[in-house]
PDB file of all heavy atoms in Angstrom:
ATOM      1  N   LEU A 188     105.352 143.784 153.470  1.00  0.00           N
ATOM      2  CA  LEU A 188     105.927 142.484 153.847  1.00  0.00           C
ATOM      3  C   LEU A 188     105.994 141.530 152.673  1.00  0.00           C
ATOM      4  O   LEU A 188     106.966 140.858 152.371  1.00  0.00           O
ATOM      5  CB  LEU A 188     105.270 141.842 155.018  1.00  0.00           C
ATOM      6  CG  LEU A 188     105.424 142.460 156.391  1.00  0.00           C
ATOM      7  CD1 LEU A 188     104.498 141.836 157.467  1.00  0.00           C
ATOM      8  CD2 LEU A 188     106.853 142.416 156.897  1.00  0.00           C
ATOM      9  N   ILE A 189     104.900 141.509 151.923  1.00  0.00           N
ATOM     10  CA  ILE A 189     104.847 140.610 150.710  1.00  0.00           C
ATOM     11  C   ILE A 189     105.868 141.097 149.686  1.00  0.00           C
ATOM     12  O   ILE A 189     106.639 140.279 149.091  1.00  0.00           O
ATOM     13  CB  ILE A 189     103.443 140.675 150.069  1.00  0.00           C
ATOM     14  CG1 ILE A 189     102.467 139.985 151.086  1.00  0.00           C
ATOM     15  CG2 ILE A 189     103.383 139.973 148.771  1.00  0.00           C
ATOM     16  CD1 ILE A 189     100.955 140.116 150.645  1.00  0.00           C
ATOM     17  N   ALA A 190     106.011 142.391 149.480  1.00  0.00           N
ATOM     18  CA  ALA A 190     106.979 142.946 148.478  1.00  0.00           C
ATOM     19  C   ALA A 190     108.372 142.546 148.907  1.00  0.00           C
ATOM     20  O   ALA A 190     109.204 142.283 148.081  1.00  0.00           O
ATOM     21  CB  ALA A 190     106.745 144.446 148.336  1.00  0.00           C
ATOM     22  N   PHE A 191     108.651 142.695 150.200  1.00  0.00           N
ATOM     23  CA  PHE A 191     109.983 142.345 150.657  1.00  0.00           C
ATOM     24  C   PHE A 191     110.376 140.890 150.464  1.00  0.00           C
ATOM     25  O   PHE A 191     111.445 140.516 150.030  1.00  0.00           O
ATOM     26  CB  PHE A 191     110.050 142.672 152.203  1.00  0.00           C
ATOM     27  CG  PHE A 191     111.335 142.323 152.837  1.00  0.00           C
ATOM     28  CD1 PHE A 191     112.444 143.124 152.632  1.00  0.00           C
ATOM     29  CD2 PHE A 191     111.497 141.157 153.611  1.00  0.00           C
ATOM     30  CE1 PHE A 191     113.641 142.833 153.155  1.00  0.00           C
ATOM     31  CE2 PHE A 191     112.685 140.867 154.179  1.00  0.00           C
ATOM     32  CZ  PHE A 191     113.805 141.669 154.021  1.00  0.00           C
ATOM     33  N   LEU A 192     109.348 139.987 150.668  1.00  0.00           N
ATOM     34  CA  LEU A 192     109.575 138.557 150.463  1.00  0.00           C
ATOM     35  C   LEU A 192     109.877 138.239 148.966  1.00  0.00           C
ATOM     36  O   LEU A 192     110.755 137.435 148.603  1.00  0.00           O
ATOM     37  CB  LEU A 192     108.378 137.760 150.987  1.00  0.00           C
ATOM     38  CG  LEU A 192     108.178 137.765 152.525  1.00  0.00           C
ATOM     39  CD1 LEU A 192     106.874 137.080 152.848  1.00  0.00           C
ATOM     40  CD2 LEU A 192     109.312 137.053 153.234  1.00  0.00           C
ATOM     41  N   VAL A 193     109.098 138.912 148.055  1.00  0.00           N
ATOM     42  CA  VAL A 193     109.259 138.674 146.678  1.00  0.00           C
ATOM     43  C   VAL A 193     110.647 139.146 146.249  1.00  0.00           C
ATOM     44  O   VAL A 193     111.341 138.480 145.472  1.00  0.00           O
ATOM     45  CB  VAL A 193     108.169 139.445 145.848  1.00  0.00           C
ATOM     46  CG1 VAL A 193     108.471 139.403 144.395  1.00  0.00           C
ATOM     47  CG2 VAL A 193     106.812 138.773 146.127  1.00  0.00           C
ATOM     48  N   LEU A 194     111.080 140.332 146.668  1.00  0.00           N
ATOM     49  CA  LEU A 194     112.414 140.818 146.302  1.00  0.00           C
ATOM     50  C   LEU A 194     113.500 139.973 146.860  1.00  0.00           C
ATOM     51  O   LEU A 194     114.496 139.777 146.162  1.00  0.00           O
ATOM     52  CB  LEU A 194     112.529 142.293 146.835  1.00  0.00           C
ATOM     53  CG  LEU A 194     111.709 143.336 146.160  1.00  0.00           C
ATOM     54  CD1 LEU A 194     111.848 144.698 146.886  1.00  0.00           C
ATOM     55  CD2 LEU A 194     112.123 143.521 144.665  1.00  0.00           C
ATOM     56  N   SER A 195     113.334 139.349 147.993  1.00  0.00           N
ATOM     57  CA  SER A 195     114.368 138.489 148.575  1.00  0.00           C
ATOM     58  C   SER A 195     114.560 137.277 147.748  1.00  0.00           C
ATOM     59  O   SER A 195     115.619 136.789 147.415  1.00  0.00           O
ATOM     60  CB  SER A 195     113.944 138.143 150.022  1.00  0.00           C
ATOM     61  OG  SER A 195     113.945 139.325 150.819  1.00  0.00           O
ATOM     62  N   ALA A 196     113.346 136.718 147.257  1.00  0.00           N
ATOM     63  CA  ALA A 196     113.369 135.450 146.461  1.00  0.00           C
ATOM     64  C   ALA A 196     114.082 135.743 145.119  1.00  0.00           C
ATOM     65  O   ALA A 196     114.817 134.975 144.581  1.00  0.00           O
ATOM     66  CB  ALA A 196     111.937 134.961 146.260  1.00  0.00           C
ATOM     67  N   CYS A 197     113.736 136.950 144.523  1.00  0.00           N
ATOM     68  CA  CYS A 197     114.343 137.289 143.223  1.00  0.00           C
ATOM     69  C   CYS A 197     115.885 137.410 143.336  1.00  0.00           C
ATOM     70  O   CYS A 197     116.625 137.117 142.478  1.00  0.00           O
ATOM     71  CB  CYS A 197     113.711 138.535 142.598  1.00  0.00           C
ATOM     72  SG  CYS A 197     111.986 138.283 142.078  1.00  0.00           S
ATOM     73  N   SER A 198     116.359 138.089 144.433  1.00  0.00           N
ATOM     74  CA  SER A 198     117.749 138.381 144.516  1.00  0.00           C
ATOM     75  C   SER A 198     118.509 137.089 144.795  1.00  0.00           C
ATOM     76  O   SER A 198     119.655 136.975 144.323  1.00  0.00           O
ATOM     77  CB  SER A 198     117.961 139.299 145.725  1.00  0.00           C
ATOM     78  OG  SER A 198     117.526 138.659 146.935  1.00  0.00           O
ATOM     79  N   SER A 199     117.896 135.995 145.322  1.00  0.00           N
ATOM     80  CA  SER A 199     118.568 134.760 145.539  1.00  0.00           C
ATOM     81  C   SER A 199     118.508 133.854 144.283  1.00  0.00           C
ATOM     82  O   SER A 199     119.214 132.827 144.216  1.00  0.00           O
ATOM     83  CB  SER A 199     118.001 134.008 146.737  1.00  0.00           C
ATOM     84  OG  SER A 199     116.646 133.745 146.514  1.00  0.00           O
ATOM     85  N   ALA A 200     117.600 134.108 143.365  1.00  0.00           N
ATOM     86  CA  ALA A 200     117.499 133.275 142.171  1.00  0.00           C
ATOM     87  C   ALA A 200     118.600 133.611 141.167  1.00  0.00           C
ATOM     88  O   ALA A 200     119.180 134.628 141.186  1.00  0.00           O
ATOM     89  CB  ALA A 200     116.145 133.553 141.459  1.00  0.00           C
ATOM     90  N   PRO A 201     118.898 132.673 140.198  1.00  0.00           N
ATOM     91  CA  PRO A 201     119.911 132.966 139.232  1.00  0.00           C
ATOM     92  C   PRO A 201     119.489 134.009 138.222  1.00  0.00           C
ATOM     93  O   PRO A 201     118.342 134.267 138.125  1.00  0.00           O
ATOM     94  CB  PRO A 201     120.099 131.580 138.464  1.00  0.00           C
ATOM     95  CG  PRO A 201     118.809 130.854 138.753  1.00  0.00           C
ATOM     96  CD  PRO A 201     118.390 131.321 140.105  1.00  0.00           C
ATOM     97  N   HIS A 202     120.452 134.673 137.616  1.00  0.00           N
ATOM     98  CA  HIS A 202     120.157 135.783 136.667  1.00  0.00           C
ATOM     99  C   HIS A 202     119.436 135.325 135.466  1.00  0.00           C
ATOM    100  O   HIS A 202     118.673 136.108 134.855  1.00  0.00           O
ATOM    101  CB  HIS A 202     121.456 136.538 136.340  1.00  0.00           C
ATOM    102  CG  HIS A 202     122.106 137.195 137.486  1.00  0.00           C
ATOM    103  ND1 HIS A 202     121.577 138.297 138.050  1.00  0.00           N
ATOM    104  CD2 HIS A 202     123.261 136.870 138.175  1.00  0.00           C
ATOM    105  CE1 HIS A 202     122.358 138.642 139.075  1.00  0.00           C
ATOM    106  NE2 HIS A 202     123.379 137.818 139.192  1.00  0.00           N
ATOM    107  N   HIS A 203     119.668 134.089 134.987  1.00  0.00           N
ATOM    108  CA  HIS A 203     119.047 133.602 133.742  1.00  0.00           C
ATOM    109  C   HIS A 203     118.074 132.421 134.055  1.00  0.00           C
ATOM    110  O   HIS A 203     118.288 131.652 134.992  1.00  0.00           O
ATOM    111  CB  HIS A 203     120.100 133.018 132.758  1.00  0.00           C
ATOM    112  CG  HIS A 203     121.107 134.082 132.387  1.00  0.00           C
ATOM    113  ND1 HIS A 203     120.789 135.073 131.524  1.00  0.00           N
ATOM    114  CD2 HIS A 203     122.350 134.273 132.863  1.00  0.00           C
ATOM    115  CE1 HIS A 203     121.886 135.822 131.393  1.00  0.00           C
ATOM    116  NE2 HIS A 203     122.876 135.414 132.162  1.00  0.00           N
ATOM    117  N   ALA A 204     116.960 132.368 133.300  1.00  0.00           N
ATOM    118  CA  ALA A 204     116.058 131.283 133.518  1.00  0.00           C
ATOM    119  C   ALA A 204     116.681 129.934 133.143  1.00  0.00           C
ATOM    120  O   ALA A 204     117.478 129.892 132.250  1.00  0.00           O
ATOM    121  CB  ALA A 204     114.774 131.532 132.526  1.00  0.00           C
ATOM    122  N   PRO A 205     116.415 128.948 133.923  1.00  0.00           N
ATOM    123  CA  PRO A 205     117.086 127.588 133.653  1.00  0.00           C
ATOM    124  C   PRO A 205     116.628 127.061 132.318  1.00  0.00           C
ATOM    125  O   PRO A 205     115.492 127.146 131.913  1.00  0.00           O
ATOM    126  CB  PRO A 205     116.600 126.777 134.835  1.00  0.00           C
ATOM    127  CG  PRO A 205     115.265 127.430 135.256  1.00  0.00           C
ATOM    128  CD  PRO A 205     115.513 128.877 135.076  1.00  0.00           C
ATOM    129  N   VAL A 206     117.565 126.438 131.581  1.00  0.00           N
ATOM    130  CA  VAL A 206     117.290 125.894 130.283  1.00  0.00           C
ATOM    131  C   VAL A 206     117.575 124.395 130.358  1.00  0.00           C
ATOM    132  O   VAL A 206     118.583 123.930 130.828  1.00  0.00           O
ATOM    133  CB  VAL A 206     118.196 126.458 129.162  1.00  0.00           C
ATOM    134  CG1 VAL A 206     117.918 125.836 127.829  1.00  0.00           C
ATOM    135  CG2 VAL A 206     118.005 128.007 129.081  1.00  0.00           C
ATOM    136  N   ALA A 207     116.551 123.659 129.945  1.00  0.00           N
ATOM    137  CA  ALA A 207     116.692 122.157 130.002  1.00  0.00           C
ATOM    138  C   ALA A 207     117.770 121.670 129.007  1.00  0.00           C
ATOM    139  O   ALA A 207     117.891 122.186 127.916  1.00  0.00           O
ATOM    140  CB  ALA A 207     115.337 121.464 129.624  1.00  0.00           C
ATOM    141  N   ASP A 208     118.559 120.749 129.456  1.00  0.00           N
ATOM    142  CA  ASP A 208     119.643 120.186 128.643  1.00  0.00           C
ATOM    143  C   ASP A 208     119.077 119.154 127.745  1.00  0.00           C
ATOM    144  O   ASP A 208     118.887 117.943 128.134  1.00  0.00           O
ATOM    145  CB  ASP A 208     120.749 119.658 129.548  1.00  0.00           C
ATOM    146  CG  ASP A 208     121.931 119.143 128.759  1.00  0.00           C
ATOM    147  OD1 ASP A 208     122.032 119.476 127.577  1.00  0.00           O
ATOM    148  OD2 ASP A 208     122.750 118.341 129.280  1.00  0.00           O
ATOM    149  N   ARG A 209     118.793 119.495 126.462  1.00  0.00           N
ATOM    150  CA  ARG A 209     118.177 118.559 125.532  1.00  0.00           C
ATOM    151  C   ARG A 209     119.170 118.288 124.430  1.00  0.00           C
ATOM    152  O   ARG A 209     119.857 119.154 123.961  1.00  0.00           O
ATOM    153  CB  ARG A 209     116.875 119.094 124.945  1.00  0.00           C
ATOM    154  CG  ARG A 209     115.754 119.294 125.982  1.00  0.00           C
ATOM    155  CD  ARG A 209     114.505 119.795 125.379  1.00  0.00           C
ATOM    156  NE  ARG A 209     113.497 119.988 126.379  1.00  0.00           N
ATOM    157  CZ  ARG A 209     112.233 120.465 126.043  1.00  0.00           C
ATOM    158  NH1 ARG A 209     111.923 120.710 124.804  1.00  0.00           N
ATOM    159  NH2 ARG A 209     111.304 120.528 127.037  1.00  0.00           N
ATOM    160  N   ARG A 210     119.127 117.065 123.934  1.00  0.00           N
ATOM    161  CA  ARG A 210     119.998 116.678 122.821  1.00  0.00           C
ATOM    162  C   ARG A 210     119.342 117.100 121.557  1.00  0.00           C
ATOM    163  O   ARG A 210     118.146 117.410 121.403  1.00  0.00           O
ATOM    164  CB  ARG A 210     120.139 115.109 122.782  1.00  0.00           C
ATOM    165  CG  ARG A 210     120.926 114.605 124.003  1.00  0.00           C
ATOM    166  CD  ARG A 210     121.116 113.138 123.852  1.00  0.00           C
ATOM    167  NE  ARG A 210     121.885 112.572 124.941  1.00  0.00           N
ATOM    168  CZ  ARG A 210     122.216 111.271 125.102  1.00  0.00           C
ATOM    169  NH1 ARG A 210     121.798 110.396 124.144  1.00  0.00           N
ATOM    170  NH2 ARG A 210     122.850 110.869 126.080  1.00  0.00           N
ATOM    171  N   GLN A 211     120.226 117.212 120.533  1.00  0.00           N
ATOM    172  CA  GLN A 211     119.768 117.700 119.207  1.00  0.00           C
ATOM    173  C   GLN A 211     118.793 116.617 118.692  1.00  0.00           C
ATOM    174  O   GLN A 211     118.996 115.457 118.766  1.00  0.00           O
ATOM    175  CB  GLN A 211     120.949 117.735 118.245  1.00  0.00           C
ATOM    176  CG  GLN A 211     120.612 118.296 116.852  1.00  0.00           C
ATOM    177  CD  GLN A 211     121.750 118.424 115.993  1.00  0.00           C
ATOM    178  OE1 GLN A 211     122.870 118.149 116.438  1.00  0.00           O
ATOM    179  NE2 GLN A 211     121.627 118.810 114.716  1.00  0.00           N
ATOM    180  N   PRO A 212     117.633 117.160 118.080  1.00  0.00           N
ATOM    181  CA  PRO A 212     116.645 116.106 117.569  1.00  0.00           C
ATOM    182  C   PRO A 212     117.231 115.262 116.492  1.00  0.00           C
ATOM    183  O   PRO A 212     118.266 115.618 115.824  1.00  0.00           O
ATOM    184  CB  PRO A 212     115.590 117.028 116.986  1.00  0.00           C
ATOM    185  CG  PRO A 212     116.157 118.435 116.880  1.00  0.00           C
ATOM    186  CD  PRO A 212     117.205 118.492 117.862  1.00  0.00           C
ATOM    187  N   PRO A 213     116.703 113.990 116.384  1.00  0.00           N
ATOM    188  CA  PRO A 213     117.348 113.111 115.418  1.00  0.00           C
ATOM    189  C   PRO A 213     117.295 113.630 113.935  1.00  0.00           C
ATOM    190  O   PRO A 213     116.349 114.430 113.626  1.00  0.00           O
ATOM    191  CB  PRO A 213     116.464 111.852 115.567  1.00  0.00           C
ATOM    192  CG  PRO A 213     115.197 112.361 116.153  1.00  0.00           C
ATOM    193  CD  PRO A 213     115.557 113.480 117.049  1.00  0.00           C
ATOM    194  N   SER A 214     118.208 113.170 113.148  1.00  0.00           N
ATOM    195  CA  SER A 214     118.262 113.616 111.787  1.00  0.00           C
ATOM    196  C   SER A 214     117.092 113.138 110.938  1.00  0.00           C
ATOM    197  O   SER A 214     116.613 112.007 111.267  1.00  0.00           O
ATOM    198  CB  SER A 214     119.610 113.172 111.138  1.00  0.00           C
ATOM    199  OG  SER A 214     119.600 113.398 109.791  1.00  0.00           O
ATOM    200  N   ASP A 215     116.727 113.879 109.969  1.00  0.00           N
ATOM    201  CA  ASP A 215     115.557 113.462 109.124  1.00  0.00           C
ATOM    202  C   ASP A 215     116.082 112.546 108.006  1.00  0.00           C
ATOM    203  O   ASP A 215     115.298 112.102 107.159  1.00  0.00           O
ATOM    204  CB  ASP A 215     114.936 114.671 108.483  1.00  0.00           C
ATOM    205  CG  ASP A 215     114.206 115.524 109.496  1.00  0.00           C
ATOM    206  OD1 ASP A 215     113.724 114.929 110.499  1.00  0.00           O
ATOM    207  OD2 ASP A 215     114.109 116.771 109.274  1.00  0.00           O
ATOM    208  N   LYS A 216     117.311 112.186 107.981  1.00  0.00           N
ATOM    209  CA  LYS A 216     117.914 111.350 106.953  1.00  0.00           C
ATOM    210  C   LYS A 216     117.316 109.965 106.972  1.00  0.00           C
ATOM    211  O   LYS A 216     117.348 109.356 108.098  1.00  0.00           O
ATOM    212  CB  LYS A 216     119.409 111.328 107.061  1.00  0.00           C
ATOM    213  CG  LYS A 216     120.156 110.635 105.835  1.00  0.00           C
ATOM    214  CD  LYS A 216     121.652 110.679 106.032  1.00  0.00           C
ATOM    215  CE  LYS A 216     122.360 110.128 104.861  1.00  0.00           C
ATOM    216  NZ  LYS A 216     123.819 110.178 105.005  1.00  0.00           N
ATOM    217  N   LEU A 217     116.754 109.487 105.898  1.00  0.00           N
ATOM    218  CA  LEU A 217     116.130 108.209 105.842  1.00  0.00           C
ATOM    219  C   LEU A 217     117.168 107.132 105.836  1.00  0.00           C
ATOM    220  O   LEU A 217     118.206 107.273 105.172  1.00  0.00           O
ATOM    221  CB  LEU A 217     115.204 108.068 104.638  1.00  0.00           C
ATOM    222  CG  LEU A 217     113.952 109.039 104.652  1.00  0.00           C
ATOM    223  CD1 LEU A 217     113.225 108.911 103.296  1.00  0.00           C
ATOM    224  CD2 LEU A 217     113.072 108.717 105.758  1.00  0.00           C
TER     225      LEU A 217
END
Side-chain angles (χ1 to χ4, degrees):
L188 289 173
I189 293 173
F191 178 76
L192 292 173
V193 170
L194 290 173
S195 298
C197 291
S198 62
S199 61
H202 294 288
H203 300 284
V206 179
D208 183 16
R209 296 182 180 179
R210 294 183 179 180
Q211 184 178 357
S214 172
D215 292 331
K216 189 175 183 180
L217 294 175

